[in-house]
């Protein structure tokens, strides 16, 4: 079985990266991580990658005169590793349309809300301020506008009456760690395909939770 070659971009903690590392540790998982690149020197996720024996690089955006040369360096790292799919995992830099076009339909992101609700930052505080009963997380292919693009998978997460942004973030994060590997599996096995501006998942019915409320 040839495995899809993933490049992962991070800015910090790297817990979603760790979830992908754990999934890829299963030889039956249809993808492998070939390079982890951080834009923040010393990002904690770099240590997790190194512990797993994955080649890492730091491309510090502050060392470049603008976004284009910074992104050219990112692409050089990813292409040197022959990455076939680029996964943003807590990567906190806006990307130019040029970078997004270069990696079109080969670039995915995880975002801590049920897109298209709560794009951008402080998603959990805004959800709490609105009094929503459910929020969640989304894995999507990346398009030029921030936090937009064809949706691969989502998970809904209930909001508790006494939630703070931190407690809600922690609950959503558990679902992020579940759906990011699942999204990669769907893409790597060819089950999730971009058609127009939507992702069609072959063989998909209702999400599990809709069929069995106990899940
Ligand atoms: C995650 O919650 C991820 O969804 C979010 O940053 C966190 C990174 O955590 N990403 C965004 O907000 C991107 N718009 P991690 O470094 O532990 O994976």
């Amino acid at each position: 079985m040839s495995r899809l070659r993933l490049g992962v971009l991070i800015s910090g903690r790297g817990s979603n990266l760790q979830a992908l590392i754990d999934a890829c540790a299963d030889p039956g998982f249809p993808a492998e991580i070939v390079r982890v690149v951080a834009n923040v020197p010393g990002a904690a996720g770099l240590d997790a990658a190194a512990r797993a024996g994955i080649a890492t690089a730091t491309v510090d955006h502050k060392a470049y005169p603008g976004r284009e040369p910074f992104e050219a360096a990112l692409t050089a790292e990813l292409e040197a590793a022959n990455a076939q799919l680029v996964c943003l995992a807590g990567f906190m830099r806006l990307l130019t349309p040029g970078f997004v076009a270069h990696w079109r339909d080969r670039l995915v992101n995880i975002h801590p809300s049920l897109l298209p609700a709560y794009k951008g930052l402080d998603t959990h505080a805004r959800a709490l301020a609105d009094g929503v009963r459910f929020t969640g997380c989304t894995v999507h292919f990346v398009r030029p506008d921030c936090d937009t693009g064809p949706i691969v998978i989502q998970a809904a997460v209930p909001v508790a009456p006494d939630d703070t942004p931190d407690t809600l973030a922690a609950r959503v994060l558990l679902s992020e760690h579940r759906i990011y590997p699942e999204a990669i599996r769907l893409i790597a096995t060819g089950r999730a395909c971009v058609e127009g501006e939507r992702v069609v998942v072959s063989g998909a019915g209702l999400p599990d939770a809709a069929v069995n409320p106990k899940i």
Side-chain angles (χ1 to χ4, degrees):
M1 177 190 69
S2 91
R3 306 173 91 194
L4 190 70
R5 297 172 66 84
L6 309 179
V8 183
L9 301 185
I10 63 167
S11 296
R13 178 177 58 181
S15 72
N16 277 291
L17 165 66
Q18 185 66 56
L20 294 175
I21 290 172
D22 292 346
C24 291
D26 175 354
F29 191 74
E32 61 181 325
I33 302 173
V34 294
R35 186 72 52 99
V36 172
V37 185
N39 70 309
V40 177
L46 289 171
D47 291 336
R51 275 197 303 275
I54 299 165
T56 64
T58 300
V59 177
D60 182 357
H61 59 277
K62 292 188 184 142
Y64 293 83
R67 288 188 189 273
E68 279 86 0
F70 161 64
E71 291 174 352
L74 289 180
T75 290
E77 284 291 342
L78 295 163
E79 290 183 345
N82 292 320
Q84 296 170 293
L85 180 73
V86 178
C87 305
L88 306 179
F91 184 72
M92 303 310 268
R93 297 296 294 170
L94 292 174
L95 295 165
T96 67
F99 183 88
V100 173
H102 181 85
W103 292 99
R104 186 180 170 91
D105 296 344
R106 300 183 297 150
L107 176 62
V108 290
N109 179 44
I110 186 152
H111 183 75
S113 76
L114 288 174
L115 291 173
Y118 305 116
K119 297 170 182 168
L121 299 175
D122 300 322
T123 54
H124 306 301
R126 288 187 285 139
L128 290 174
D130 285 344
V132 299
R133 298 302 196 254
F134 285 90
T135 182
C137 47
T138 303
V139 178
H140 64 97
F141 284 97
V142 174
R143 293 292 183 258
D145 287 340
C146 184
D147 298 324
T148 65
I151 291 168
V152 181
I153 192 169
Q154 294 184 302
V157 176
V159 178
D162 58 350
D163 264 335
T164 65
D166 284 348
T167 61
L168 184 54
R171 191 175 312 113
V172 171
L173 197 61
L174 295 175
S175 287
E176 294 185 43
H177 297 163
R178 182 173 60 80
I179 68 167
Y180 214 172
E182 196 49 39
I184 301 305
R185 180 192 298 278
L186 289 172
I187 295 166
T189 55
R191 283 190 60 206
C193 295
V194 182
E195 291 186 13
E197 283 307 302
R198 297 181 62 180
V199 171
V200 175
V201 179
S202 63
L206 282 172
D208 289 346
V211 177
N212 180 355
K214 290 185 183 154
I215 291 176

